[in-house]
Amino acid sequence: MGSLSIWHWLIVLLIVALVFGTKKLRNIGGDLGGAVKGFKEGMRESETSTTADQRELSRNGTIDVEAKDKTRSSDYR
């Protein structure tokens, strides 16, 4: 039970191609590539917004927040 040689991997690849078909494998590869691209763009946007937030904080030195009153008149009986 040793490691698989290149011939074993070629046979496995051939069987997978026969079972799924090349068109379906191409679609799966395209979907996977699109998902990775979307993930990278999301990470890039996150880094950009975090950097912008840090610059704003360093300029102002404070963070402005608005508190909302969550009490109701029915709570004071």
Side-chain angles (χ1 to χ4, degrees):
M1 188 118 205
S3 64
L4 298 176
S5 69
I6 188 71
W7 294 110
H8 290 107
W9 286 114
L10 289 174
I11 291 171
V12 169
L13 182 63
L14 178 67
I15 291 171
V16 167
L18 288 173
V19 169
F20 292 110
T22 56
K23 186 175 181 180
K24 186 174 276 196
L25 290 176
R26 195 175 317 127
N27 290 342
I28 291 171
D31 292 343
L32 182 62
V36 170
K37 184 178 179 181
F39 177 76
K40 286 181 179 180
E41 288 175 0
M43 292 299 293
R44 194 173 306 124
E45 287 176 8
S46 174
E47 289 173 359
T48 303
S49 68
T50 302
T51 305
D53 292 343
Q54 289 174 348
R55 279 189 302 226
E56 184 68 27
L57 179 60
S58 66
R59 254 186 281 169
N60 293 341
T62 60
I63 299 175
D64 294 330
V65 294
E66 183 179 321
K68 293 184 179 180
D69 187 18
K70 292 189 177 186
T71 60
R72 292 186 228 156
S73 61
S74 63
D75 292 339
Y76 294 109
R77 289 185 182 205

